[in-house]
């Protein structure tokens, strides 16, 4: 006959995670206690009652093993597989792009390897350790965005129209600070309801700096991300409507400013989206080329018009694949991209712990926005803008940045059991 | 019964069936077998779900399961808890630690739907199978 303590410790010894094991032991102990008391009421002595109560629990090793089976920390194999497939496809694009301007196979390889290493490292840390550092992450992200705008001109360069810094092999632009902001926002948001004025400030500061750095794409992504994190069902209807009306007023004023104060070339850019034929020598050229690609693409292999697109390895990766590898490859790509999206969505509903949930939701938006924009733009539904396709486009933003967030997501999934146990345990009276 | 068959019965009782008795031992074994028909895992899990329409602690649940005649957990109460945790992972039930330090379990919406489906389904075994299938965790 084993003692109560031996029983509990044996069960715990089979459960790898100490927190989880502790919670389970608590529950089992409570049961043993009540059984003991009921036996004592029936006339057993204290010692006999305890021994019998423990005996009735059954085999400790078996119970411990079953619990470990339920709670072992799993890596989301599906997501890893899908991401590996996407990265693999990213290499396939090397088939198309060798020798093109700015594209280098070594570069692609380098970014991919860095991405995998970073994701791997993040996967194995406990994401919850980041939560108390929320304000630090937000501050770092904000400082980075600030530096791009106010930093010394000698250090910043204009990269593709927006401000960036060259740090070794990496072009750092506004968008690279968004993951930092995301971690910060998720940590802040998960601690409890955020006051509206604080929320507005948390939103406006980065957006201001992004716009000042001439990077509206980053501002756009940040806006949607912020909305997904903080605007949800529980938000006061009144506040929601005032925010929406603010947004509408903002959009209208931007529209008015645009038509009166914007430079000719900016107006042309927008107008050429609506009627590219009129601007076939300027902004409309790209739209016409895009239409050609879609019209002339084959099912497999090169389309009728195989001339590569400008910036084909970054901003127009999808069309390049369509152009040079055909509809078959393009559709396969779309399916892969959607599967990743679906998996992220599924996971965001499965994760109950608040910090983890916000991280997954934010990563979902950060991934989904470029994918949607890129594909819709490729089909001619949206005006051209630079939204690289995750893992497929060339460059640090497409590969390393997303690898960081996916690494975090995988870490959240791995720790979902101990995290939810711990969250439950906080409501217990000690 | 016909006379001739009755005589046959008597004769047999005196010869081949002489040593055959239906004593208490047999009775017990038959009763256990009858009880045992309800102890397949699916049936047990179904009973747990039915009992968790109200919220219960593991301890009170153990008592109620026993009163239903299910003896599976009599000397294996740890297994009741692993089953509860598995059902929780499947989101059929949810748990909550209350202020008195006890952990209470109760059906979730998904669990309630499953019960309703079972009660109204013509193919009850199929519904039960979803309770024990692997994966989904």
């Amino acid at each position: 006959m084993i003692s109560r303590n031996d029983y509990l410790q044996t069960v715990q010894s089979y459960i790898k995670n100490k927190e989880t094991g502790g919670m389970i032991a608590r529950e089992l102990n409570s049961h043993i206690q009540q059984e003991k008391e009921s036996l004592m009421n029936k006339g057993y002595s204290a010692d006999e009652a305890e021994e019998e109560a423990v005996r009735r629990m059954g085999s400790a090793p078996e119970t411990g093993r079953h619990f470990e089976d339920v709670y072992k920390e799993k890596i989301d194999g599906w997501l890893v597989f899908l991401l590996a497939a996407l990265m693999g496809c990213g290499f396939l694009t090397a088939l198309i792009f060798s020798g093109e301007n700015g594209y280098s196979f070594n570069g692609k390889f380098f970014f991919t390897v860095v991405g995998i290493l970073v994701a791997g490292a993040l996967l194995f840390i406990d994401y919850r350790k980041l939560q108390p550092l929320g304000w630090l992450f937000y501050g770092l992200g904000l400082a980075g965005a600030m530096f791009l705008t106010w930093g010394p001109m000698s250090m910043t360069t204009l990269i593709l129209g927006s401000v960036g810094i060259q740090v070794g092999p990496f072009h750092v632009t506004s968008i690279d600070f968004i993951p930092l902001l995301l971690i910060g926002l998720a940590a802040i948001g998960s601690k409890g309801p955020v006051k509206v004025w604080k929320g507005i400030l948390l939103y406006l500061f980065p957006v201001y700096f992004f716009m000042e750095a001439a990077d509206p794409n980053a501002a756009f992504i940040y806006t949607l991300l912020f909305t997904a994190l903080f605007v949800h069902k529980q938000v006061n209807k009144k506040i929601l409507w005032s925010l929406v009306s603010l947004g509408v007023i903002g959009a209208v004023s931007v529209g008015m400013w645009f038509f009166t104060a914007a430079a000719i070339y900016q107006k042309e850019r927008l107008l050429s989206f609506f009627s590219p034929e009129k601007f076939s020598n300027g902004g409309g050229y790209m739209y016409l080329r895009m239409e050609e690609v879609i019209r002339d693409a084959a099912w497999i292999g090169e389309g009728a018009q195989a001339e590569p697109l400008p910036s084909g390895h970054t901003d127009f990766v999808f069309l390049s694949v369509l152009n040079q590898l055909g509809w078959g490859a393009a559709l396969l790509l779309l399916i892969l991209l959607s599967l990743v999206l679906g998996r992220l969505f599924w996971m965001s509903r499965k994760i109950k712990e608040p910090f983890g949930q916000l991280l997954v939701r934010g990563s979902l938006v950060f991934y989904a926005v470029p994918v949607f924009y890129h594909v819709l733009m490729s089909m001619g539904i949206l005006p051209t803008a630079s939204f690289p396709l995750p893992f497929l486009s060339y460059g640090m933003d497409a590969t390393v940045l997303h690898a960081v967030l996916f690494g975090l997501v995988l870490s959240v999934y791995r720790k979902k059991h101990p995290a939810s146990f711990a969250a439950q345990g906080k409501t217990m009276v000690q | 019964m016909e006379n001739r068959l009755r005589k046959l019965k008597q004769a047999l009782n005196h010869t081949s069936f002489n040593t055959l008795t239906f004593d208490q031992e047999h009775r017990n074994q038959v009763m256990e077998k009858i009880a045992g028909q309800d102890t397949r895992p699916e049936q047990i899990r179904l009973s747990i779900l039915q009992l968790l329409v109200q919220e219960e602690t593991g301890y009170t649940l153990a008592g109620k399961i026993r009163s239903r005649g299910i003896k599976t957990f009599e000397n294996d109460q740890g297994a009741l808890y692993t089953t509860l945790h598995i059902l929780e992972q499947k989101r059929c039930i949810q748990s909550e630690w209350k202020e008195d330090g006890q952990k209470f379990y109760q059906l979730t919406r998904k669990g309630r739907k499953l019960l309703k489906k079972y009660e109204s389904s013509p193919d009850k075994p199929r519904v039960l199978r979803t309770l024990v299938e692997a994966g989904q965790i």
Side-chain angles (χ1 to χ4, degrees):
Chain A
M1 287 295 120
I2 63 173
S3 74
R4 186 204 291 220
N5 267 332
D6 282 345
Y7 174 82
L8 292 173
Q9 279 184 12
T10 307
V11 171
Q12 278 184 268
S13 71
Y14 284 87
I15 303 172
K16 288 211 181 83
N17 186 287
K18 294 302 155 209
E19 291 174 77
T20 310
M23 297 296 281
I24 290 173
R26 230 183 202 127
E27 197 180 348
L28 296 175
N29 187 41
S30 165
H31 181 101
I32 294 175
Q33 183 61 29
Q34 290 179 75
E35 185 78 358
K36 171 183 175 178
E37 280 162 16
S38 129
L39 288 170
M40 280 170 70
N41 282 337
K42 292 188 186 145
Y44 283 67
S45 76
D47 287 339
E48 288 171 339
E50 178 147 323
E51 211 178 271
E52 176 64 11
V54 172
R55 190 198 67 83
R56 288 184 183 184
M57 292 304 286
S59 156
E62 204 175 296
T63 302
R65 258 182 251 127
H66 284 155
F67 272 120
E68 173 57 12
D69 219 25
V70 174
Y71 290 116
K72 60 182 176 224
E73 289 179 1
K74 285 188 296 213
I75 298 179
D76 186 1
W78 272 115
L79 193 58
V80 172
F81 169 72
L82 288 172
L83 290 176
L86 264 186
M87 286 191 192
C89 289
F91 276 116
L92 273 184
T93 62
L95 287 176
I96 322 175
F97 295 126
S98 35
E100 186 161 313
N101 293 344
Y103 186 89
S104 118
F105 184 76
N106 291 341
K108 181 86 183 164
F109 187 74
F110 171 71
F111 286 133
T112 307
V113 167
V114 170
I116 294 178
L117 288 176
V118 168
L122 283 172
L123 162 57
F124 287 109
I125 66 162
D126 184 349
Y127 76 95
R128 292 172 294 167
K129 300 220 168 81
L130 299 177
Q131 190 174 17
L133 302 172
W135 283 104
L136 177 64
F137 277 102
Y138 183 84
L140 281 175
L142 192 60
M146 213 187 294
F147 187 80
L148 284 177
T149 314
W150 290 343
M153 291 292 279
S154 52
M155 299 199 66
T156 59
T157 56
L158 225 52
I159 300 173
L160 297 174
S162 45
V163 181
I165 313 178
Q166 190 74 25
V167 177
F170 302 111
H171 289 163
V172 175
T173 53
S174 308
I175 200 175
D176 301 321
F177 296 107
I178 294 188
L180 291 172
L181 293 170
L182 168 60
I183 298 176
L185 289 178
I188 295 168
S190 59
K191 290 203 187 117
V194 175
K195 298 217 180 74
V196 180
W197 66 266
K198 256 195 198 168
I200 293 181
L201 287 181
L202 284 174
Y203 170 70
L204 283 179
F205 277 124
V207 170
Y208 170 74
F209 290 119
F210 288 154
M211 295 302 281
E212 282 292 300
D215 201 337
N217 298 5
F220 179 60
I221 295 180
Y222 185 72
T223 304
L224 291 179
L225 195 141
F226 192 90
T227 316
L229 288 186
F230 286 108
V231 180
H232 46 63
K233 306 175 225 169
Q234 291 149 359
V235 161
N236 192 336
K237 289 267 187 219
K238 259 196 326 189
I239 298 180
L240 193 58
W241 279 118
S242 41
L243 281 177
V244 167
S245 24
L246 256 179
V248 168
I249 295 176
V252 168
S253 14
V254 166
M256 286 189 348
W257 164 84
F258 190 79
F259 279 109
T260 50
I264 304 280
Y265 81 89
Q266 285 172 321
K267 285 189 192 156
E268 234 187 58
R269 271 190 74 181
L270 190 60
L271 291 174
S272 56
F273 169 63
F274 290 110
S275 32
E277 314 81 45
K278 295 197 195 135
F279 297 92
S280 51
N281 282 332
Y285 169 71
M286 201 57 218
Y287 292 109
L288 295 172
R289 287 278 344 256
M290 285 159 61
E291 282 174 22
E292 275 174 6
V293 167
I294 294 184
R295 215 174 36 230
D296 297 335
W299 271 101
I300 300 184
E302 286 185 350
Q305 77 110 347
E307 206 184 304
L309 294 158
S311 288
H313 58 309
T314 51
D315 298 340
F316 296 101
V317 136
F318 184 71
L319 282 174
S320 300
V321 168
L322 180 59
N323 195 19
Q324 263 130 321
L325 295 176
W327 278 107
L331 286 176
L332 184 66
L333 216 54
L334 271 182
I335 292 176
L336 260 183
L337 289 167
S338 324
L339 286 177
V340 171
L341 192 68
R343 190 67 179 175
L344 274 178
F345 197 71
W346 169 87
M347 200 185 285
S348 73
R349 297 184 54 200
K350 220 172 196 269
I351 303 293
K352 294 297 176 198
E353 191 272 316
F355 179 47
Q357 228 238 8
L358 289 179
L359 278 178
V360 175
R361 237 196 284 170
S363 302
L364 171 66
V365 173
F366 189 78
Y367 168 81
V369 171
V371 170
F372 272 117
Y373 201 99
H374 190 112
V375 173
L376 290 177
M377 172 190 81
S378 302
M379 303 195 316
I381 300 177
L382 288 171
T384 54
S386 175
F387 281 100
L389 216 49
F391 300 113
L392 291 156
S393 290
Y394 179 85
M396 174 177 110
D397 296 343
T399 322
V400 177
L401 218 52
H402 281 94
V404 165
L405 285 181
F406 277 105
L408 274 178
V409 164
L410 286 168
S411 168
V412 170
Y413 183 82
R414 200 171 76 99
K415 290 285 179 180
K416 70 179 186 310
H417 292 312
S420 66
F421 259 116
Q424 269 186 357
K426 282 193 189 124
T427 64
M428 265 176 63
V429 171
Q430 294 295 332
Chain B
M1 203 189 291
E2 285 222 33
N3 267 341
R4 281 174 289 178
L5 283 177
R6 203 180 291 140
K7 284 227 164 98
L8 178 61
K9 183 171 176 248
Q10 276 179 351
L12 281 176
N13 272 343
H14 282 133
T15 52
S16 327
F17 295 163
N18 211 4
T19 48
L20 211 58
T21 49
F22 187 59
D23 59 15
Q24 192 57 35
E25 176 82 71
H26 277 140
R27 208 170 240 121
N28 286 344
Q29 285 179 12
V30 171
M31 291 306 270
E32 253 188 72
K33 267 259 148 66
I34 295 175
Q37 273 167 23
D38 279 341
T39 54
R40 280 167 298 137
E42 310 93 86
Q43 278 291 347
I44 299 176
R45 292 188 187 188
L46 178 74
S47 301
I48 293 178
L49 289 187
Q50 288 170 336
L51 287 167
L52 284 177
V53 172
Q54 323 266 33
E55 66 175 8
E56 307 276 354
T57 61
Y59 184 71
T60 55
L61 191 64
K64 295 196 177 175
I65 288 183
R66 183 59 193 88
S67 359
R68 276 201 173 192
I70 298 175
K71 296 195 190 177
T72 322
F73 300 117
E74 227 175 27
N75 292 314
D76 192 10
Q77 292 177 343
L80 171 61
Y81 284 92
T82 50
T83 308
L84 284 171
H85 282 231
I86 289 174
L87 283 172
E88 190 179 9
Q89 285 310 305
K90 286 179 176 294
R91 313 258 217 100
C92 295
I93 62 180
Q94 64 197 359
S95 67
E96 191 189 335
W97 286 95
K98 298 239 172 166
E99 283 186 5
D100 57 1
Q102 305 251 47
K103 190 175 182 189
F104 283 80
Y105 291 90
Q106 197 181 24
L107 276 187
T108 57
R109 235 176 74 201
K110 176 177 172 185
R112 268 192 287 271
K113 276 203 230 165
L114 197 64
L115 263 189
K116 251 171 92 178
K117 195 166 161 197
Y118 174 81
E119 266 142 37
S120 59
S121 163
D123 184 9
K124 293 194 188 324
R126 189 169 66 90
V127 179
L128 285 188
R129 241 174 278 137
T130 63
L131 273 178
V132 287
E133 66 198 6
Q136 272 268 338
I137 286 186

